Amino acid sequence: MRNVLTIANKEIRSYFNSPIAYILIAAFAALFGYFFWSLVYFFVQAGMQAQFTGRSMPLNLNELVIRNLMGNAGILCLFMVPMLTMRLFSEEKSRGTIELLLTSPLQDWELLLGKWLGALVMYLSLLAFSAISLIFLFVYGKPDVQPLLVGYLGLILQAAAMLALGMFISSITQSQIVAAFLTFFLLLLMWVFEWMSGMDQNQITQVLTYLSLVKHNESFIKGVLDLKDVVYYASVSFFGLYLTARSLESLRYRG
Amino acid sequence: MIQANGLTKRYAQNVAVDGVTFTVEKGQIVGFLGPNGAGKTTTMRMLTGYMPPSAGTASVAGFDVVEKPLEVKKRIGYLPETPPVYPDMEVGEYLDFVAHLKGLPAAECRKKAEYAAERCQVKNVWGKLISKLSKGYRQRVGLAQAIIHNPEVLILDEPTSGFDPKQILETRDLIRSLAGDHTIVLSTHILQEVEAMCESLIIINQGRIAASGTIDELTHRDGTILEASGVGAETLRETFAQVPGVSAVTLTEDGEKLSFSITTPGADLRAVLARTALDKGANLLKLDTANINLHELFLTLTAPAVVPAAPAVETEEETAA
């Protein structure tokens, strides 16, 4: 466990030693702020319209603002994860530092778990900046806390699964650009498998719908904690970590 | 301390290391010598547990590299050909990270990192970004990384490549000073380096051990080279042949100058032969042992093998049939 933390710590430091952490944080905070501002704008307008026409509309802060906000933050993940994972192993390979890691007294699983954890913590620190906007919701409104927390849990689980897949792709190439592009392509593909749910249902579309990354986030966004979605994200994460372990093993054999 | 037995690494297309067997005793400095691509790096990588051998076994400090890789890794310090440093880290930050990585107790990491930095003379750049360091400094940071956990065995892949002459001398001194407590295996293709540092030598060519032993053992040749003039060639040759201990005499004439190559198994007869020549009234021009230098040895051992053409064609036909 100590080795895992050593590696995770090093990963977090190297994000913050390079501009990437700051660029991602700035971009995430700006976009999330914009999402928040526009959603609140429409919410306020809908409220004024309801008052103006005299019809009482069920205006729910959770439904109209937080759900959409969580959904949009999920989409941001699609763009941020490749940037977080592209360097995890490719950079070590191209710099030769992988030789230090693989000749130090630690197990392969400790290495990849540490890297995955480091990337996850980096994602959490991005996500922390979304709280700035949400503080205003709590100051001026009364949203339900519980669905919000479930929504955040969903975002974190989704990111964990995507990071594990991204880490695997980073472990098969020396080039960060290739890793980023392949990861983005794979995640986008898994994202749009969701469309299959609207097509004729047969075995293929059912399986692909099940594999969709975004499909399993729907219940979290609604504030519903569903075990089968948790299982899905956990298994995708495990699958990504397992593939990374095999990829490291093959790296050892091929040199 | 290190034992390799039939160590082999096969890739899909070629065999990088082919049945390498050797032993390194505790406290020795052993040099791996060979042309580029001879299999030095691959052999070292197998010893460090970076890659498993395709066949054969190796053990370091009594632990098998395949069965007990963690035990081996705890006892090995490894400097790969490119120093494994992170350019975006500061020197101190990096060494502290490596100390944690090598499993040193958390309380000692900082102290060990500082000690290694001092030993490798990088203490003065402790707070500098590694990307700002010159190549020589980076290499020394790499060396500090290798010795940080005070390993029993140090494996250094071309530790002085890319240094200027002053840095080469400093690094050699440093490596020699480490020799007492550590067993060191270093690879190089610089011959002076081997002469300056290594007690014994393993010459690798095309994945196989071409020769091994101490430098004296490898370069020693029984015999004497003698050049003389002013006397009849044949008389002198017969006189030399009659000296007890001489088994063969070859003569090359170059105008006035007579060059003798005299084989004397197991003895150094330079003094006797010189006196004999002088007694015969010859002018002695040159007297030397027949020992070859490392340079010649290296070139003979690593010369590309001459493959007879005919059998190759036959095998081709066989496979075709």
Side-chain angles (χ1 to χ4, degrees):
Chain A
M1 197 57 209
R2 211 199 92 165
N3 289 332
V4 176
L5 293 180
T6 303
I7 298 288
N9 188 15
K10 176 229 141 201
E11 289 308 320
I12 296 161
R13 275 169 185 241
S14 54
Y15 281 122
F16 283 96
N17 277 345
S18 74
I20 187 96
Y22 305 99
I23 292 171
L24 283 177
I25 284 175
F28 181 84
L31 282 168
F32 194 89
Y34 171 71
F35 294 159
F36 176 76
W37 175 78
S38 47
L39 285 168
V40 168
Y41 178 85
F42 290 125
F43 179 78
V44 170
Q45 248 197 353
M48 289 206 316
Q49 218 159 33
Q51 233 170 18
F52 189 68
T53 55
R55 278 184 293 166
S56 70
M57 281 191 0
L59 288 174
N60 184 315
L61 205 55
N62 277 84
E63 249 171 59
L64 286 178
V65 178
I66 291 180
R67 272 191 202 180
N68 287 324
L69 210 49
M70 289 294 149
N72 290 345
I75 294 172
L76 277 186
C77 217
L78 199 56
F79 297 92
M80 305 231 158
V81 164
M83 285 186 247
L84 287 176
T85 57
M86 63 181 188
R87 44 164 296 280
L88 283 177
F89 279 100
S90 336
E91 198 178 45
E92 307 268 9
K93 283 166 89 170
S94 61
R95 278 180 184 165
T97 44
I98 191 81
E99 287 202 60
L100 168 66
L101 299 177
L102 293 187
T103 56
S104 288
L106 74 165
Q107 311 268 13
D108 283 1
W109 67 264
E110 293 176 311
L111 171 62
L112 60 95
L113 215 56
K115 282 188 169 279
W116 180 61
L117 210 62
L120 195 58
V121 170
M122 181 63 224
Y123 178 74
L124 289 180
S125 40
L126 289 183
L127 210 53
F129 281 83
S130 64
I132 300 172
S133 309
L134 290 174
I135 287 170
F136 290 100
L137 272 194
F138 281 94
V139 171
Y140 295 105
K142 268 208 183 88
D144 285 340
V145 179
Q146 202 217 341
L148 183 66
L149 291 181
V150 174
Y152 267 106
L153 179 68
L155 281 180
I156 294 167
L157 287 173
Q158 189 187 38
M162 291 164 87
L163 289 169
L165 293 175
M167 179 168 74
F168 161 64
I169 290 174
S170 170
S171 75
I172 58 174
T173 171
Q174 282 204 13
S175 154
Q176 294 194 45
I177 307 267
V178 170
F181 182 78
L182 275 180
T183 307
F184 179 69
F185 175 76
L186 176 75
L187 295 179
L188 186 64
L189 198 66
M190 287 181 74
W191 197 271
V192 297
F193 278 162
E194 199 256 336
W195 299 344
M196 299 278 176
S197 65
M199 295 180 188
D200 289 343
Q201 291 300 295
N202 58 33
Q203 275 168 351
I204 296 172
T205 53
Q206 269 170 4
V207 169
L208 292 182
T209 309
Y210 178 77
L211 285 180
S212 164
L213 278 166
V214 69
K215 189 80 191 154
H216 292 272
N217 210 20
E218 282 171 2
S219 59
F220 287 105
I221 288 175
K222 286 179 191 143
V224 181
L225 188 59
D226 192 336
L227 185 66
K228 89 174 190 301
D229 296 326
V230 177
V231 168
Y232 167 81
Y233 286 128
S235 28
V236 173
S237 303
F238 181 80
F239 185 61
L241 294 175
Y242 172 79
L243 286 180
T244 315
R246 300 314 304 255
S247 156
L248 278 184
E249 213 175 297
S250 107
L251 176 73
R252 283 178 185 279
Y253 277 91
R254 287 182 292 115
Chain B
M1 188 51 66
I2 301 176
Q3 264 176 337
N5 215 330
L7 215 52
T8 300
K9 183 73 195 174
R10 274 188 289 270
Y11 292 115
Q13 302 293 326
N14 64 325
V15 181
V17 176
D18 190 3
V20 164
T21 300
F22 62 90
T23 311
V24 180
E25 300 299 332
K26 190 175 178 357
Q28 265 192 327
I29 307 186
V30 172
F32 267 27
L33 194 61
N36 288 324
K40 301 182 298 258
T41 299
T42 310
T43 308
M44 291 182 146
R45 284 179 165 179
M46 286 191 280
L47 292 179
T48 56
Y50 176 75
M51 53 168 57
S54 317
T57 55
S59 71
V60 174
F63 295 97
D64 188 278
V65 291
V66 176
E67 274 150 32
K68 295 255 185 267
L70 288 194
E71 296 302 320
V72 169
K73 288 171 185 177
K74 273 181 208 163
R75 290 166 176 78
I76 273 190
Y78 175 43
L79 174 63
E81 209 172 335
T82 33
V85 293
Y86 295 96
D88 50 13
M89 281 192 186
E90 288 169 7
V91 172
E93 185 186 5
Y94 170 72
L95 291 177
D96 192 59
F97 162 66
V98 176
H100 280 92
L101 195 64
K102 298 291 176 186
L104 295 173
E108 280 180 38
C109 283
R110 172 84 193 204
K111 214 175 67 203
K112 298 269 184 184
E114 280 178 6
Y115 177 71
E118 228 159 83
R119 199 84 202 259
C120 299
Q121 295 159 10
V122 290
K123 195 70 197 293
N124 54 332
V125 289
W126 182 263
K128 260 196 169 178
L129 276 180
I130 295 179
S131 59
K132 306 275 182 216
L133 297 182
S134 68
K135 191 163 187 333
Y137 262 112
R138 261 187 230 202
Q139 187 81 9
R140 273 187 276 168
V141 172
L143 204 55
Q145 162 276 128
I147 64 166
I148 203 162
H149 52 308
N150 199 19
E152 292 169 53
V153 174
L154 272 177
I155 295 189
L156 312 172
D157 200 351
E158 303 198 359
T160 57
S161 68
F163 279 1
D164 64 42
K166 183 165 168 280
Q167 288 168 330
I168 290 181
L169 290 180
E170 284 170 1
T171 313
R172 280 182 199 167
D173 285 343
L174 174 63
I175 291 172
R176 264 198 302 257
S177 75
L178 293 169
D181 324 324
H182 310 267
T183 306
I184 302 178
V185 175
L186 61 91
S187 81
T188 179
H189 49 242
I190 304 165
L191 296 162
Q192 298 94 309
E193 199 146 298
V194 178
E195 283 177 320
M197 285 190 287
C198 303
E199 289 150 6
S200 94
L201 188 60
I202 296 171
I203 298 181
I204 298 191
N205 188 37
Q206 297 181 330
R208 297 208 175 93
I209 292 186
S212 68
T214 65
I215 295 175
D216 282 347
E217 280 167 14
L218 288 174
T219 53
H220 182 78
R221 295 287 180 277
D222 288 331
T224 302
I225 304 280
L226 188 147
E227 282 176 18
S229 66
V231 200
E234 276 310 306
T235 9
L236 207 50
R237 198 167 83 100
E238 273 158 37
T239 325
F240 285 145
Q242 279 157 19
V243 173
V246 172
S247 67
V249 178
T250 49
L251 167 66
T252 334
E253 285 184 68
D254 178 16
E256 276 287 281
K257 198 173 73 181
L258 308 169
S259 301
F260 294 93
S261 170
I262 305 160
T263 319
T264 56
D268 181 3
L269 298 180
R270 273 179 297 177
V272 181
L273 290 167
R275 212 172 302 127
T276 316
L278 292 174
D279 285 349
K280 282 281 159 192
N283 308 316
L284 193 54
L285 302 177
K286 184 184 172 185
L287 180 67
D288 201 357
T289 61
N291 289 353
I292 57 172
N293 63 34
L294 209 49
H295 195 76
E296 289 164 339
L297 176 73
F298 181 76
L299 290 180
T300 10
L301 287 174
T302 57
V306 184
V307 187
V313 176
E314 260 176 34
T315 25
E316 263 180 38
E317 279 170 2
E318 274 169 29
T319 37

